[in-house]
């Protein structure tokens, strides 16, 4: 018998759907301590499944239906603005870039390397700042969710 | 209700009817998803008086955003996502306005009268009923369910929501990830921690009583 006890995570996974390595499964079936852990989780899962379900103490439909506008919902103006911007950029930037890309490449080849490195450094700094901002937002959300 | 990825054809028909101006079809959507929304709102929002306004707010958002629904997820999952985000915004707002309101002990009172059942359940390994008459066994089971319910209520709101949506509503990790907009790995590890916390809370209560 494998004497190494599976981790808490592996025990949970086994209790959920009997998944895991055959070694872990064999161990859990023959180890009293791990079997008791699995049974505890199975008990919890079964009790959660059967726990009473909450319901609103008012008629939700009756409360909402009078608040609905009589005209059907339509796409918000923001979406039209966004769509217009995409079309605008495609038309006035994308098409010229596609048509004159050889000339554009020539422009870059005539720029001194110092400027090219400066542009790359600026772009990298911008990406780094954006990444840090995303990370900060993620941490904020995690704190809000009580995950940290 | 089994929540699986993919859109039910009936949902598509209902949405088309609403977009043509048939508001009654929205009533059907409310009926179909009310239970799921209640699960999220009750687990996330401890202040009972605010739940009605929030529920109305959630469904009005759903109505106004229906034209933008792209059927990339099941309609119920999308509505659950709106419910979850609306509740999160409420929590954020309340934390700014009234810091501490979400941590009041009285909102989630501990099960002080639960020691006997915990002791009995731990003795039986939390998997069986104690010896005795059938009546006692039923009484014990009922009491135990109540205790566990209170222990679930003592978990952080997001953990409660994840646990209930996964174990009671049979939602997948993928759907939970869509609802919370968190990576699937984060959802899995959060659920793992929530289950572990729940188990340890129950056992520690037992150990305190046993001493």
């Amino acid at each position: 018998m494998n004497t190494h006890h599976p981790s808490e995570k592996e025990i949970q996974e086994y209790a959920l759907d009997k998944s895991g390595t055959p070694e872990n499964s064999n161990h859990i079936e023959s180890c009293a301590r791990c079997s008791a852990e699995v049974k505890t989780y199975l008990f919890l899962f079964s009790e959660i499944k059967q726990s009473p379900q909450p319901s609103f103490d008012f008629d939700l439909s009756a409360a909402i239906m009078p608040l609905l506008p009589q005209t059907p919902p339509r796409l918000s103006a923001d979406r039209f603005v966004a769509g217009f911007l995409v079309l605008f950029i495609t038309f006035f930037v994308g098409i010229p870039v596609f048509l004159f890309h050889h000339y554009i490449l020539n422009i870059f080849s005539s720029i001194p390397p110092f400027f090219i490195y400066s542009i790359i450094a600026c772009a990298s700094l911008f990406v780094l700042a954006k990444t840090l901002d995303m990370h900060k937002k993620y941490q904020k959300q995690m704190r809000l969710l009580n995950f940290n | 209700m089994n929540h699986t990825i993919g859109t039910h054809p009936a949902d598509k028909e209902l949405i088309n009817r609403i977009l043509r101006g048939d508001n009654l079809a929205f009533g059907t959507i409310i009926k179909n998803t009310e239970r799921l929304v209640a699960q999220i709102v009750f687990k996330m929002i401890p202040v009972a008086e605010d739940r009605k306004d929030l529920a109305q707010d959630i469904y009005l958002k759903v109505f106004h955003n229906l034209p933008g629904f792209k059927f990339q997820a099941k309609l119920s999952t999308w509505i659950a996502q709106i419910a979850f985000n609306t509740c999160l915004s409420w929590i954020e707002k309340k934390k700014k306005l009234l810091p501490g309101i979400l941590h009041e002990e009285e909102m989630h009172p501990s099960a002080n009268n639960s020691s006997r059942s915990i002791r009995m359940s731990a003795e039986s390994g939390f998997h069986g009923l104690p010896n005795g008459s059938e009546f006692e066994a039923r009484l014990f089971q009922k009491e135990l369910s109540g205790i566990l319910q209170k222990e679930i209520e003592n978990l952080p709101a997001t953990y409660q929501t994840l646990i209930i949506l996964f174990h009671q509503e049979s939602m997948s990790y993928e759907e939970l990830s869509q609802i919370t907009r968190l990576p699937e790995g984060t959802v899995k590890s959060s659920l793992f921690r929530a289950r572990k916390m729940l188990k340890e809370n129950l056992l520690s209560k037992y150990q305190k009583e046993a001493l």
Side-chain angles (χ1 to χ4, degrees), chain A residues 8 37 43 47 51 53, chain B residues 35 126 141 145 168 199:
Chain A
E8 186 84 18
E37 288 276 310
F43 164 79
E47 284 299 314
S51 61
Q53 294 180 352
Chain B
R35 197 176 59 101
F126 281 105
Q141 187 70 36
S145 302
Q168 207 171 46
K199 187 196 81 172

Side-chain angles (χ1 to χ4, degrees), chain A residues 17-37:
Chain A
D17 51 11
K18 298 232 176 221
S19 64
T21 61
E23 292 81 30
N24 278 344
S25 304
N26 289 338
H27 173 90
I28 290 168
E29 280 159 24
S30 52
C31 170
R33 187 181 122 187
C34 294
S35 296
E37 288 276 310

Side-chain angles (χ1 to χ4, degrees), chain A residues 8-9 12 16 37 39-41 43-45 47-49 51-56 58 60-61 63-65 67-69 72-75 79 138 140-147, chain B residues 18-19 23 26 30-31 34-35 38-39 42 52 55-56 59 63 67 84 88 92 125-127 141 144-145 148-149 158-159 167-168 170 180 182 186 190 192-193 195-196 199 202:
Chain A
E8 186 84 18
K9 197 177 174 192
Q12 274 194 19
L16 275 173
E37 288 276 310
K39 280 172 185 167
T40 303
Y41 276 119
F43 164 79
L44 286 180
F45 300 160
E47 284 299 314
I48 295 167
K49 186 108 189 150
S51 61
Q53 294 180 352
S55 61
F56 294 112
F58 58 91
L60 193 57
S61 292
I64 291 163
M65 296 307 276
L67 302 176
L68 298 180
R74 300 202 182 283
L75 277 176
R79 284 175 184 270
Y138 177 75
K140 190 185 162 197
Q141 194 189 3
M142 297 299 272
R143 270 197 301 276
L144 192 64
L145 294 171
N146 277 327
F147 282 174
Chain B
I18 297 162
L19 296 181
N23 279 359
F26 195 69
I30 295 174
K31 289 247 180 304
E34 185 180 345
R35 197 176 59 101
Q39 291 273 34
F42 275 74
K52 186 176 180 180
Q56 286 179 335
Y59 278 104
F63 182 82
F84 186 81
L88 267 191
E92 200 172 13
F126 281 105
H127 58 87
Q141 187 70 36
L144 199 58
S145 302
L148 184 71
Q149 196 56 38
T158 320
Y159 281 172
H167 289 284
Q168 207 171 46
S170 306
T180 56
L182 288 169
T186 309
S190 306
F192 162 72
R193 283 202 296 270
R195 293 182 199 116
K196 192 174 173 218
K199 187 196 81 172
L202 276 169

Side-chain angles (χ1 to χ4, degrees), chain A residues 7 17 24 26 32 37 53 59-60 67-68 71-72 78 90-91 105 114 116 118 120 127 135-137:
Chain A
S7 66
D17 51 11
N24 278 344
N26 289 338
E37 288 276 310
Q53 294 180 352
D59 187 341
L60 193 57
L67 302 176
L68 298 180
T71 51
D78 291 352
T90 309
F91 196 77
L105 284 175
F114 172 75
I116 298 281
S118 303
I120 292 171
V127 170
H135 181 69
K136 215 171 147 186
K137 276 183 186 162

Side-chain angles (χ1 to χ4, degrees), chain B residues 133-186:
Chain B
S133 69
E134 197 181 328
F135 174 74
E136 277 179 330
R138 275 188 195 162
L139 194 69
F140 163 77
Q141 187 70 36
K142 203 177 164 187
E143 208 177 328
L144 199 58
S145 302
I147 295 156
L148 184 71
Q149 196 56 38
K150 280 182 179 143
E151 283 303 323
I152 294 173
E153 283 170 15
N154 284 335
L155 290 174
T158 320
Y159 281 172
Q160 287 183 47
T161 312
L162 287 178
I163 282 233
I164 287 296
L165 293 183
F166 185 87
H167 289 284
Q168 207 171 46
E169 298 295 324
S170 306
M171 284 189 145
S172 64
Y173 292 119
E174 192 183 348
E175 284 171 301
L176 292 179
S177 164
Q178 286 174 347
I179 291 169
T180 56
R181 289 186 181 170
L182 288 169
E184 218 174 293
T186 309

Side-chain angles (χ1 to χ4, degrees), chain B residues 44 58 70 79 81 138 141 176 211:
Chain B
M44 300 281 288
I58 289 164
K70 298 278 181 271
I79 293 174
Q81 188 189 66
R138 275 188 195 162
Q141 187 70 36
L176 292 179
L211 284 173

